[in-house]
Amino acid sequence: MDESPSVESVPTGGTTTTTPSTTTIQSLPTEVLTAIFHHLRVPDLASVRQTCRHWYEIVISNRTLMSRFVLSLRNFRIEDGCEQCRVLGGTRSTFEKVCLKTCTVAPAPVLWRTIGTQLAELSLSDCTINGQTLVGVLRCTRDNLRSLTIKSIKLDDHLIYDTPIDFRLERLHTLTIRSSFVYDALFHLFKRICPNLKAIKLTFSSYERWGEELVSFVATLRATLEAITLSYTKATGVILQQIGRIEQLRLRKVSLKSCFAIKENDILLLARLQPTIVHLNLENLFSASEQFLQALSAFLPQMKRIKLRVARITNLHRSFLANMPQLNYLKITDATQLKGNLDLSAYENPALEKLFVSAAMFSRNTLPRFFERCPNIRSLTLYQCTYENIHDLQLAFSHLKGLEYLNLQRTIDIGDSFFNRDVFDTIVMPFERIRFYPIANLRKLCYLNLSHCRDLSDQALMALQFPLLKKIDLRGLHVTEAGIASLVRDCPHLEYVLVDACKRICDQAVLYLCRDLHSLRLLNLESCKAITDQSVEHIVRHCRSLVWLNALNCPQLSEEGKARLRTVRTIRSLHV
């Protein structure tokens, strides 16, 4: 940075002389330097850490800055003396996040003592590790570890019983075990070293017998445990009953997605035993009946987030929503798909901020009435929904001026005219008091998903003017470089762009994306069969912030072009 000269007045005797002085970047206050560092790209931030001790201390003492560094190792053998250990030891780097994928992890105490002092999140995915080594890794990261994820690891369980335990993970709050067989020995280990766990997440996992050790594990943590996830497991009503009856346990979040052995009565019993539950996920279970929903709302009046499937219900407001005044997130999958089945028009809840509706059919005039009564929705997903009158959806946006997230994926009823500002000129509006406010005027929108809306083309993109838009999903649309040129001009702050399976995307469209979107971080070009090595040139030359790129199934990309993409320093995740 250039030095800025200044003038300083210095009194000498009876006169005042003027001497020049300079302000250097080294003399800036720590608060100013921190603000500058927050705007740097990760490679530049890494260089800052190696500039001087003062800047190094600023970066490592700021949790937000440190959270941007992720140590990711794939297909390595981790052991003392390996090349990775020597490199990391020489740089004296510390990380808050470490992710190991398909690695063979052998004892390496020197490595973990080097990088583990600031480690807050550790993920072991598809790794081979024995029990003694796992205990050693956790011992070295015990000071600050807050989140541990174990996915599909191969573990010698019998070695855990023989390993001495002389430490505890006092700050570990979240334990995630995914796609693994959880031996009783593993539950026994975490029972001894995790006294303050707040969340247990078991997904796609199984355990010994019917889960006695799981229940015992939960009972041990009853003073601190608030959330439990058993999605895609063999959890039964017996396990829920045993967990619900644990004294002093006060659960707030429960996820039972796709636990097919669980029935309505099991959920109602859990709700009666644990009335403190405020987040409940019942996706892909039974189709909830009106009687079930009435009983559930009576047991859990403080509910804030709920996800479920509904059966043939004529009025969800009367059945259970009216009894949940604090609800701020509602996700409903319509199990019947009957015309006019899902009627939310009588529901009034100013606290509702997020709504997800899937596979529903809306009759005329229901949506405008609903959004008039729930005007504070910030996130709206209407996935694969159909409408008796698509203009009702347009009218509904007159009430959602604060909308930030909009997902209309697989909405086959919308076409290019949906985004036309003059669309109501020839339409008799059903509610005269509703002020015309089309989707194109949602000025706070940050995310837009139009993927697989098969009737959209360049005309739709040319009508979009969202100055704050950061993420857009256009998968499978018939868009060309003309639409992309208009999009990047009117939405200059885009960071995530998905145009995979857009068969008409060409090198010119990639040029517009890479050259004109200076904050582009994620780009998905999978199955864009028209792009060539010229697109590689655009990415290498113009993308300075890109960290994720997918160019799979692009037949015109040469091996030389793919090899060149691998040399881009900023890209952390590359799929070619």
Side-chain angles (χ1 to χ4, degrees):
M1 180 177 291
D2 295 336
E3 295 181 351
S4 302
S6 61
V7 176
E8 181 181 1
S9 298
V10 180
T12 304
T15 64
T16 299
T17 62
T18 302
T19 61
S21 65
T22 58
T23 300
T24 66
I25 192 171
Q26 293 287 359
S27 63
L28 292 177
T30 299
E31 295 78 8
V32 176
L33 289 172
T34 302
I36 294 173
F37 295 163
H38 274 292
H39 290 84
L40 296 179
R41 297 179 299 117
V42 172
D44 297 329
L45 190 60
S47 299
V48 163
R49 291 182 63 188
Q50 299 175 350
T51 300
C52 65
R53 181 174 296 277
H54 176 52
W55 289 8
Y56 173 81
E57 295 294 338
I58 291 176
V59 174
I60 67 168
S61 62
N62 187 288
R63 183 175 176 182
T64 303
L65 293 176
M66 283 299 300
S67 65
R68 299 175 63 186
F69 291 99
V70 179
L71 174 61
S72 180
L73 299 178
R74 183 191 296 265
N75 299 322
F76 286 115
R77 178 175 177 83
I78 309 298
E79 60 183 348
D80 274 345
C82 68
E83 181 181 358
Q84 291 75 29
C85 294
R86 291 195 298 270
V87 171
L88 291 171
T91 60
R92 297 179 299 168
S93 296
T94 58
F95 299 89
E96 278 208 358
K97 299 179 182 179
V98 172
C99 180
L100 304 183
K101 297 181 180 180
T102 59
C103 292
T104 299
V105 185
V110 175
L111 170 67
W112 293 107
R113 281 196 294 268
T114 300
I115 67 175
T117 55
Q118 301 291 332
L119 188 60
E121 298 181 22
L122 174 62
S123 175
L124 304 175
S125 179
D126 298 291
C127 293
T128 300
I129 184 173
N130 64 40
Q132 291 178 330
T133 303
L134 177 62
V135 171
V137 170
L138 297 178
R139 180 184 289 109
C140 294
T141 59
R142 63 184 180 273
D143 292 338
N144 292 293
L145 192 64
R146 292 186 290 272
S147 174
L148 174 63
T149 299
I150 297 174
K151 178 183 177 182
S152 302
I153 66 168
K154 302 175 180 64
L155 184 67
D156 299 326
D157 69 298
H158 60 279
L159 297 178
I160 298 180
Y161 286 114
D162 302 327
T163 304
I165 305 297
D166 56 357
F167 68 97
R168 298 206 302 177
L169 302 174
E170 299 284 353
R171 303 187 67 177
L172 187 67
H173 290 167
T174 303
L175 173 63
T176 302
I177 302 178
R178 181 181 175 88
S179 303
S180 302
F181 185 86
V182 187
Y183 295 98
D184 285 349
L186 201 57
F187 281 130
H188 182 70
L189 168 66
F190 290 120
K191 188 191 305 184
R192 297 168 62 188
I193 65 176
C194 304
N196 300 316
L197 270 183
K198 293 184 178 180
I200 302 172
K201 301 178 181 179
L202 298 181
T203 56
F204 295 99
S205 298
S206 55
Y207 34 80
E208 296 186 50
R209 297 178 298 280
W210 61 267
E212 302 97 318
E213 197 64 31
L214 169 62
V215 176
S216 176
F217 183 37
V218 174
T220 303
L221 301 168
R222 59 184 176 272
T224 60
L225 193 65
E226 297 179 352
I228 184 168
T229 297
L230 298 175
S231 299
Y232 298 96
T233 67
K234 61 178 183 180
T236 63
V238 175
I239 290 181
L240 288 188
Q241 182 178 354
Q242 294 282 345
I243 292 176
R245 294 186 183 278
I246 296 175
E247 294 185 3
Q248 300 180 12
L249 180 65
R250 299 293 182 268
L251 290 177
R252 293 180 57 81
K253 303 178 182 179
V254 177
S255 178
L256 301 169
K257 182 178 181 179
S258 298
C259 295
F260 301 111
I262 294 177
K263 307 302 179 184
E264 288 187 354
N265 290 336
D266 302 325
I267 299 298
L268 293 179
L269 178 59
L270 178 66
R272 183 171 61 83
L273 295 172
Q274 295 289 327
T276 54
I277 294 175
V278 294
H279 293 193
L280 184 61
N281 186 347
L282 304 178
E283 288 187 87
N284 297 343
L285 295 186
F286 47 80
S287 296
S289 64
E290 189 164 0
Q291 293 76 15
F292 167 78
L293 293 175
Q294 288 175 342
L296 183 67
S297 62
F299 288 132
L300 302 175
Q302 307 300 317
M303 182 70 68
K304 293 183 178 180
R305 296 171 61 97
I306 188 168
K307 304 178 182 180
L308 73 165
R309 296 175 65 199
V310 295
R312 186 175 301 177
I313 300 174
T314 57
N315 194 320
L316 283 173
H317 166 68
R318 185 171 60 247
S319 61
F320 85 116
L321 291 177
N323 298 327
M324 296 181 174
Q326 299 185 36
L327 198 68
N328 58 42
Y329 181 94
L330 175 62
K331 182 173 182 177
I332 299 176
T333 300
D334 190 349
T336 57
Q337 301 187 34
L338 297 177
K339 179 180 290 188
N341 175 62
L342 192 61
D343 186 1
L344 297 169
S345 59
Y347 182 44
E348 182 175 357
N349 181 5
L352 190 65
E353 296 183 352
K354 297 183 179 181
L355 176 67
F356 186 113
V357 180
S358 175
M361 296 187 70
F362 293 100
S363 59
R364 185 182 295 270
N365 299 337
T366 59
L367 281 178
R369 290 170 179 165
F370 168 66
F371 289 125
E372 185 179 16
R373 291 173 170 83
C374 302
N376 296 318
I377 292 178
R378 296 184 296 106
S379 174
L380 175 63
T381 298
L382 300 173
Y383 175 79
Q384 207 170 358
C385 294
T386 55
Y387 309 86
E388 184 177 342
N389 182 5
I390 188 61
H391 301 304
D392 283 350
L393 181 58
Q394 294 168 307
L395 288 171
F397 292 119
S398 64
H399 305 290
L400 301 181
K401 300 178 184 179
L403 195 65
E404 300 174 2
Y405 179 106
L406 178 60
N407 186 345
L408 299 176
Q409 185 177 1
R410 296 187 182 276
T411 303
I412 61 175
D413 295 330
I414 65 174
D416 290 335
S417 62
F418 184 82
F419 301 96
N420 193 328
R421 296 174 183 272
D422 301 323
V423 72
F424 286 109
D425 284 355
T426 59
I427 296 176
V428 178
M429 298 172 61
F431 303 101
E432 293 183 359
R433 69 178 184 277
I434 293 181
R435 178 175 175 267
F436 170 56
Y437 199 87
I439 184 177
N441 289 330
L442 297 179
R443 311 300 292 178
K444 295 185 178 181
L445 203 64
C446 297
Y447 174 93
L448 179 61
N449 189 337
L450 300 173
S451 61
H452 303 291
C453 296
R454 61 192 184 191
D455 292 332
L456 296 183
S457 66
D458 288 337
Q459 296 300 318
L461 297 189
M462 293 176 182
L464 301 182
Q465 294 184 6
F466 302 126
L468 300 182
L469 195 67
K470 292 186 177 181
K471 301 179 182 180
I472 191 166
D473 191 339
L474 304 173
R475 284 176 292 175
L477 300 191
H478 301 290
V479 295
T480 68
E481 65 273 17
I484 296 298
S486 176
L487 176 69
V488 299
R489 182 181 63 251
D490 295 328
C491 306
H493 299 297
L494 280 171
E495 297 180 3
Y496 294 72
V497 178
L498 293 88
V499 289
D500 39 319
C502 295
K503 298 180 179 180
R504 301 174 67 183
I505 289 293
C506 61
D507 295 330
Q508 190 66 27
V510 176
L511 172 62
Y512 294 146
L513 291 171
C514 298
R515 184 190 63 191
D516 299 335
L517 297 179
H518 303 295
S519 301
L520 187 63
R521 295 174 53 82
L522 180 148
L523 180 60
N524 195 337
L525 299 172
E526 183 177 356
S527 299
C528 293
K529 300 182 184 297
I531 66 173
T532 67
D533 285 352
Q534 190 62 42
S535 291
V536 175
E537 181 67 25
H538 299 326
I539 293 171
V540 173
R541 177 176 298 180
H542 299 291
C543 291
R544 294 292 179 264
S545 303
L546 195 65
V547 297
W548 193 97
L549 174 65
N550 184 354
L552 290 172
N553 196 23
C554 297
Q556 297 194 55
L557 290 184
S558 66
E559 291 301 322
E560 292 77 10
K562 296 177 182 179
R564 194 172 182 198
L565 287 175
R566 296 187 181 96
T567 65
V568 180
R569 289 184 56 198
T570 59
I571 298 179
R572 295 203 301 261
S573 182
L574 176 63
H575 308 272
V576 291

